């Protein structure tokens, strides 16, 4: 007598799994593909250097492949100084080095640049190109991945909503946040792309904390806030204020381990953001 209701419940559970897990992942994959297509389908597009690339380039041992007419023109290819590395292992090591003579301030933006350098070194080793060749597309892919992760988290927040609500959120995200006006910055050494993606991650983790607070989500929130603060150093003052206010997350659960975890994450975040501020010359 109970076989039919049991089958109905099983189908509902399976449907819930699809909506709660598969649809957000599918949405994030589409965001990744669309963003990649906006930048690289047809002629590659990006932003030119207005002179502000210099800080990131010099600190991370990158220079223009062609020094002529580089201002106000979009450039895809650059050159890395790897100090004469003879093999891929030496190249990987050298790609992570900082030019201490040009390292005048701290920024998590430099971490993204260094990771993109490592991706270039590995790709160059696989394809047989010179280790020193740098294609800015690898940095853009990092930003696109971060944006896609934020999209996945946001879509997961709405996983329990009606399908038309999920579809509306997906379409709004796609048409508002995957616009070329934002994505063009991904092909540049400006701080705006990190600011943009970190803000999206910040909102995404904030939504998840509101829905079901936990220490890992709080850590994700404060890490995103640190990257947002360091993307543009003008963000530091109100990022510290946000971090201090965010400690109020502790009231969302009663267990002491949760409260201690949130407070520890907040304190570490504030200390590191203060360190960014103290490094400004």
């Amino acid at each position: 007598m109970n076989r039919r209701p049991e089958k109905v419940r099983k189908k509902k559970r399976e449907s819930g799994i699809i909506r709660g897990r598969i649809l957000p992942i599918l949405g994030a994959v589409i965001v990744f593909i669309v963003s990649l297509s906006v930048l690289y389908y047809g002629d590659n597009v990006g932003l030119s250097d207005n002179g502000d690339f210099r800080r990131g380039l010099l600190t991370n041992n990158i220079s223009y492949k062609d020094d002529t007419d580089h201002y106000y023109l979009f450039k895809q290819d650059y050159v890395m100084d790897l100090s004469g590395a003879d093999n891929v292992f030496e190249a990987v090591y050298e790609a992570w080095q900082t030019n201490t003579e040009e390292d005048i301030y701290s920024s998590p933006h430099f971490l993204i640049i260094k990771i993109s350098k490592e991706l270039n070194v590995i790709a160059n080793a696989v394809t047989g190109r010179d280790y020193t060749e740098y294609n800015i597309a690898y940095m853009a892919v990092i930003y696109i991945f971060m944006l896609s992760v934020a999209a996945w988290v946001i879509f997961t927040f709405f996983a329990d909503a009606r399908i038309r609500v999920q579809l509306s959120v997906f379409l709004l995200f796609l048409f508002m946040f995957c616009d070329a006006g934002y994505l063009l910055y991904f092909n540049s050494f400006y701080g705006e792309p990190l600011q943009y993606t970190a803000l999206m991650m910040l909102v995404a983790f904030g939504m998840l904390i509101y829905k079901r607070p936990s220490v890992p989500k709080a850590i994700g929130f404060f890490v995103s806030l640190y990257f947002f603060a360091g993307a543009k150093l003008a963000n530091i003052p109100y990022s510290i204020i946000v971090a201090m206010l965010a400690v109020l997350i502790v009231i969302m659960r009663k267990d002491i381990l949760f409260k201690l975890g949130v407070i520890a994450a907040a304190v570490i975040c504030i200390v590191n953001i203060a360190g960014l501020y103290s490094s400004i010359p």
Side-chain angles (χ1 to χ4, degrees), residues 237-268:
Y238 46 86
S239 294
I240 292 179
I241 295 173
V242 170
M244 295 173 67
L245 292 176
V247 176
L248 293 175
I249 294 172
V250 298
I251 68 175
M252 300 181 72
R253 279 176 49 178
K254 295 182 179 180
D255 52 296
I256 189 66
L257 289 179
F258 172 76
K259 295 180 184 296
L260 290 176
V262 170
I263 293 173
V267 169
I268 293 172

Side-chain angles (χ1 to χ4, degrees), residues 122-186:
I122 294 171
N124 292 340
V126 172
T127 58
R129 295 195 301 268
D130 192 300
Y131 293 135
T132 62
E133 293 186 18
Y134 179 91
N135 188 330
I136 201 172
Y138 289 92
M139 185 163 62
V141 168
I142 296 173
Y143 289 130
I144 291 174
F145 176 75
M146 292 174 65
L147 181 65
S148 302
V149 171
W152 167 66
V153 175
I154 291 172
F155 298 157
T156 300
F157 177 84
F158 290 97
D160 298 331
R162 296 176 182 272
I163 191 68
R164 62 173 177 268
V165 174
Q166 295 184 60
L167 183 60
S168 298
V169 171
F170 167 71
L171 292 176
L172 282 171
F173 191 99
L174 202 64
F175 287 106
M176 290 181 64
F177 302 118
C178 297
D179 181 79
Y182 293 115
L183 299 183
L184 287 179
Y185 280 92
F186 290 11

Side-chain angles (χ1 to χ4, degrees), residues 48-64:
S48 62
D49 181 9
N50 65 0
D52 202 32
F53 286 11
R54 180 179 174 83
R55 290 172 295 174
L57 291 174
L58 293 179
T59 303
N60 293 283
N61 294 315
I62 303 175
S63 59
Y64 281 96

Side-chain angles (χ1 to χ4, degrees), residues 12 31 38-39 43 67 106 161 171-172 176 214 230 245 272 277:
K12 287 184 177 180
V31 167
V38 168
L39 288 179
D43 293 333
D67 284 336
S106 299
L171 292 176
L172 282 171
M176 290 181 64
S214 68
L245 292 176
N272 279 279
Y277 183 78

Side-chain angles (χ1 to χ4, degrees), residues 12-268:
K12 287 184 177 180
R13 286 196 298 269
E14 291 174 350
S15 177
I17 291 174
I18 292 174
R19 290 175 58 187
R21 296 181 182 178
I22 297 179
L23 291 183
I25 293 175
L26 179 61
V29 170
I30 293 174
V31 167
F32 187 92
I33 294 172
V34 169
S35 300
L36 205 62
S37 300
V38 168
L39 288 179
Y40 298 111
Y41 181 76
D43 293 333
N44 294 356
V45 291
L47 294 182
S48 62
D49 181 9
N50 65 0
D52 202 32
F53 286 11
R54 180 179 174 83
R55 290 172 295 174
L57 291 174
L58 293 179
T59 303
N60 293 283
N61 294 315
I62 303 175
S63 59
Y64 281 96
K65 190 172 185 179
D66 179 6
D67 284 336
T68 61
D69 299 328
H70 58 268
Y71 289 123
Y72 307 110
L73 291 174
F74 168 61
K75 295 289 187 178
Q76 185 80 36
D77 298 307
Y78 299 80
V79 176
M80 299 179 286
D81 180 4
L82 301 180
S83 299
D86 294 325
N87 56 64
V88 65
F89 300 105
E90 291 180 358
V92 166
Y93 173 79
E94 291 296 337
W96 198 260
Q97 301 308 303
T98 299
N99 185 341
T100 55
E101 294 181 0
E102 300 291 344
D103 188 22
I104 59 175
Y105 70 100
S106 299
S107 174
H109 180 209
F110 297 158
L111 175 62
I112 303 298
I113 296 176
K114 289 182 186 299
I115 294 174
S116 70
K117 289 176 65 180
E118 299 292 0
L119 293 178
N120 270 281
V121 167
I122 294 171
N124 292 340
V126 172
T127 58
R129 295 195 301 268
D130 192 300
Y131 293 135
T132 62
E133 293 186 18
Y134 179 91
N135 188 330
I136 201 172
Y138 289 92
M139 185 163 62
V141 168
I142 296 173
Y143 289 130
I144 291 174
F145 176 75
M146 292 174 65
L147 181 65
S148 302
V149 171
W152 167 66
V153 175
I154 291 172
F155 298 157
T156 300
F157 177 84
F158 290 97
D160 298 331
R162 296 176 182 272
I163 191 68
R164 62 173 177 268
V165 174
Q166 295 184 60
L167 183 60
S168 298
V169 171
F170 167 71
L171 292 176
L172 282 171
F173 191 99
L174 202 64
F175 287 106
M176 290 181 64
F177 302 118
C178 297
D179 181 79
Y182 293 115
L183 299 183
L184 287 179
Y185 280 92
F186 290 11
N187 264 344
S188 77
F189 287 96
Y190 295 118
E192 278 82 358
L194 180 57
Q195 177 179 247
Y196 176 54
T197 52
L199 180 61
M200 296 301 296
M201 294 286 289
L202 193 64
V203 171
F205 277 111
M207 293 170 69
L208 284 189
I209 291 170
Y210 172 79
K211 190 173 186 178
R212 193 173 292 111
S214 68
V215 172
K217 294 171 187 175
I219 292 174
F221 178 88
F222 287 112
V223 169
S224 300
L225 183 59
Y226 168 74
F227 275 84
F228 175 77
K232 302 284 286 185
L233 299 182
N235 296 340
I236 289 177
Y238 46 86
S239 294
I240 292 179
I241 295 173
V242 170
M244 295 173 67
L245 292 176
V247 176
L248 293 175
I249 294 172
V250 298
I251 68 175
M252 300 181 72
R253 279 176 49 178
K254 295 182 179 180
D255 52 296
I256 189 66
L257 289 179
F258 172 76
K259 295 180 184 296
L260 290 176
V262 170
I263 293 173
V267 169
I268 293 172

